[in-house]
Amino acid sequence: MRKLLSSKWPAIGWTILIFVLLTVGTGNLEKVPMLGVPHLDKVVHFILFGTLVFLWWSFLYEKQKFFSLSMLLTIFLAVTAYGIGMEFYQKYFTSREFELGDIYADAAGAAMASFICSYIKN
C-alpha cells in the first residue's frame, strides 16, 4: 500500500475523478433524499478534497523523504483553490450550480487532512 501511495498516479487519478464527478449533470439526484443524511453532498465534498490532500501529500512526502510544513501548506492551498475553481467551472460551464457551502466543505476537508498528515509523518 505504501508503494502505491508513493506513486503520483493515485493523486492524479483522484484529481481527475473529482473533476468528472463535479462536472457531470446530476439530473434529479439532488431531489432524492439520500439515506436521510442532511447535506450529504457537503460530506462527499469534505471526503473528496480531504482524500486529495492525503494522496498528494503521500506522493510528495515519499518523494522528498522528509516532512515540510510549507509543502503541506502548499498542498492545502492548491487543493482549496482547485475546489474554488471547480465551483466556478460548474457555474459557467455545466448545468450545475455554484455553492459557497461546497467551497467551505472542500476547504474543511483539505484542512482536516492537512492536520492529520502533519501528525502521521514518519
Side-chain angles (χ1 to χ4, degrees), residues 19-35:
F19 181 83
V20 170
L21 290 175
L22 297 183
T23 56
V24 296
T26 57
N28 291 328
L29 191 59
E30 285 105 8
K31 296 175 181 147
V32 176
M34 299 175 112
L35 307 173

Side-chain angles (χ1 to χ4, degrees), residues 102-115:
D102 288 348
I103 291 174
Y104 294 148
D106 300 343
M112 180 59 76
S114 297
F115 179 76

Side-chain angles (χ1 to χ4, degrees), residues 4-122:
L4 176 65
L5 292 177
S6 66
S7 168
K8 65 185 171 190
W9 296 111
I12 291 171
W14 197 259
T15 304
I16 293 168
L17 177 67
I18 289 174
F19 181 83
V20 170
L21 290 175
L22 297 183
T23 56
V24 296
T26 57
N28 291 328
L29 191 59
E30 285 105 8
K31 296 175 181 147
V32 176
M34 299 175 112
L35 307 173
V37 178
H39 307 293
L40 183 61
D41 65 317
K42 304 307 180 254
V43 174
V44 170
H45 276 262
F46 184 92
I47 292 169
L48 286 173
F49 284 83
T51 302
L52 189 60
V53 165
F54 176 75
L55 291 173
W56 279 112
W57 175 81
S58 295
F59 164 63
L60 293 172
Y61 179 71
E62 285 298 316
K63 185 175 179 182
Q64 295 183 0
K65 299 295 184 202
F66 70 92
F67 173 75
S68 165
L69 192 56
S70 63
M71 175 186 71
L72 188 54
L73 179 62
T74 301
I75 294 168
F76 165 75
L77 292 173
V79 167
T80 301
Y82 182 52
I84 293 168
M86 286 305 304
E87 285 304 310
F88 281 100
Y89 185 85
Q90 287 177 344
K91 180 179 180 177
Y92 294 111
F93 299 105
T94 73
S95 61
R96 299 184 67 170
E97 295 181 13
F98 179 94
E99 289 188 46
L100 199 53
D102 288 348
I103 291 174
Y104 294 148
D106 300 343
M112 180 59 76
S114 297
F115 179 76
I116 292 169
C117 288
S118 72
Y119 281 96
I120 63 173
K121 64 187 184 301
N122 292 330

